[in-house]
Structures are given as C-alpha cells and as structure tokens.
Amino acid sequence: MASSSFVFLTATFLILCTLTKASNPGLILTLVNNCPFTVWPAIQPNSGHPVLERGGFALHTLTHHSFPAPTQHWSGRIWARTDCTYANNRFSCATGDCGNRLECNGLGGATPATLAQFSLHHGHTDLSSYAVSLVDGFNVPMTVTPHEGKGQCPVVGCRANLLATCPDKLQLRSPPGHGPVVACKSGCEAFGTDELCCRNHYNSPQTCRASTFSEFFKHACPATFTYAHDSPSLTHECSSPRELKVIFCH
C-alpha cells in the first residue's frame, strides 16, 4: 500500500509539473507590424549571446511573428529595416541595413534607426529589462509592450512619426538629396562632434548633456533614451512577463 501510494504521488507530481510547464511555457517575443508597409526586423545579440531567428526576416503589413525567448539570460537589440530591395543578387535596405543581408546573423545595423534594447532573465525575480532608444536616430515609430509581468512594466517607446517633423539638418533622404525622408539622424551622426557623440572628455554622466537635437527627440517621445547618458530610469525592470511585444508603428 505504501509503495502504491508513493507511485501515485510521484505520478501526480509529474502530471502537475507537466501542467505547470504547459501553462507557463516561458517568455515569448512577438514582433508586430502595424505600419502600412513591409518592414524587415533585425535582431542583434550582445556579445556571447545566441542569434535569434537568424537575425532577421520580412514582416508584412498588419502581420506578426512570435517566437520563444531564450530560457537563460539574453541581451540584445531589435530594430526595423525599411525600404528593402533585392536586385542583382543583392539585398539592401534604405534604413537599418545589416551588411546587405536578409538574415543579419549577429551583425549590427546602419544608423539612423529606432532601437528596442533588452536584457532578459536576470536577477533573483526573473527580471526582463527593456527600453526604446533614439540615441542612434529614428526610422519608424516603435513601442515595447509587456504582458502579465509584475512590478514596473509600462509600455515604452515612440509612437510619433518623426519623419514628418525631422529638422532639415538631421534628415536622411533616399535617394540622397531629392528623395523622401526615410530616417532622422542623431546630432552625433549629423555633425560628429565629441560633445554631441559623448566621446572623450564628454563621455561621462557629468559632461554628456542633452543637446537641442536630442531635445527634439525627447519632446516628441519622452519615454525614450535620446543621448548616451540619458536617465537610467528609462530602463524598466519587469518581473516574469509572459510576453514582450515589439510594435512597429503603434
């Protein structure tokens, strides 16, 4: 009787574990394209972390793509590439291009581009940190929306279309010169000074300051990083979210 009770309890425990695992399958990353055009999301891991979804793919308008996040600590960034073409055996994008590849496979992207930054599964309470950055400029509106997390889990990002209001000196046009505005550069990219790029003497929280250019981005999208030493409070730590949703053109 004792033996059969032990077998029953063991079986029950295994069933409960299986049910728990099934009802809590882990963190899901979902990329949603609400833009009225195709975007080509790109995913770059930080050094030492695996490439997810081969680093890039096409995402047609009004569609989404979901995939499981790594179960261990992972950090990296996600952005959208726009106006991509494939001609003469060459893939290229007007913004966010990663070495003329559809699948970036760990490569970074050309600036300017709106960035979502992540650090998943860290800390004692399974924290997932996330932020949206315009430090490298802007190419599409983007938000990050967590679902079913605990603690600080706000929606963050930039919903405004800054292509329409981008100052002349920051505009990136494609084709160059006479084409439409496809992205809005950072002050650093446009002018390259140490002060605007927070380099050398200016590379500290005390000397790296907001500029008139970063304030343009901040005024439109206050819940984003707009220069290198912007407020750390803009990074949010959400405990055990069920899903993190990156929405382009939210």
Side-chain angles (χ1 to χ4, degrees):
M1 179 67 74
S3 175
S4 56
S5 297
F6 175 77
V7 170
F8 174 77
L9 288 171
T10 302
T12 304
F13 176 75
L14 290 172
I15 291 170
L16 286 172
C17 287
T18 304
L19 288 173
T20 301
K21 190 172 183 179
S23 63
N24 184 22
L27 175 60
I28 300 295
L29 293 174
T30 298
L31 278 56
V32 181
N33 182 15
N34 280 347
C35 302
F37 47 82
T38 299
V39 299
W40 286 259
I43 307 169
Q44 182 190 25
N46 289 341
S47 178
H49 296 271
V51 173
L52 309 183
E53 301 299 288
R54 298 183 178 178
F57 48 87
L59 191 61
H60 298 294
T61 181
L62 302 181
T63 62
H64 72 276
H65 179 71
S66 296
F67 53 94
T71 55
Q72 305 297 318
H73 175 56
W74 184 90
S75 63
R77 51 180 51 188
I78 294 174
W79 68 97
R81 294 168 289 171
T82 62
D83 296 324
C84 300
T85 57
Y86 187 79
N88 301 319
N89 292 320
R90 184 172 179 268
F91 180 83
S92 64
C93 302
T95 71
D97 192 83
C98 63
N100 304 118
R101 299 184 180 190
L102 170 62
E103 297 173 341
C104 298
N105 281 316
L107 292 179
T111 58
T114 316
L115 292 176
Q117 300 174 317
F118 298 92
S119 180
L120 310 178
H121 302 307
H122 65 93
H124 299 300
T125 54
D126 189 26
L127 295 173
S128 287
S129 305
Y130 58 95
V132 173
S133 171
L134 303 181
V135 173
D136 291 329
F138 171 96
N139 65 339
V140 294
M142 178 197 289
T143 61
V144 178
T145 301
H147 291 284
E148 298 183 28
K150 305 175 188 69
Q152 292 188 344
C153 305
V155 177
V156 301
C158 183
R159 297 174 188 248
N161 181 12
L162 302 186
L163 302 185
T165 56
C166 183
D168 290 347
K169 293 178 180 179
L170 302 184
Q171 291 176 357
L172 177 69
R173 294 177 176 271
S174 181
H178 62 276
V181 178
V182 295
C184 194
K185 301 175 188 177
S186 65
C188 171
E189 183 170 357
F191 301 101
T193 67
D194 282 357
E195 186 173 6
L196 290 173
C197 295
C198 292
R199 287 191 304 243
N200 298 323
H201 169 71
Y202 296 97
N203 186 19
S204 75
Q206 290 73 37
T207 56
C208 174
R209 299 294 186 187
S211 67
T212 54
F213 304 110
S214 70
E215 285 298 317
F216 160 73
F217 293 111
K218 181 68 74 175
H219 178 74
C221 302
T224 61
F225 282 92
T226 59
Y227 63 100
H229 287 281
D230 206 346
S231 171
S233 65
L234 292 166
T235 297
H236 299 281
E237 295 189 332
C238 184
S239 179
S240 303
R242 171 73 183 85
E243 180 184 40
L244 287 170
K245 190 175 287 184
V246 177
I247 304 177
F248 304 111
C249 301
H250 192 173

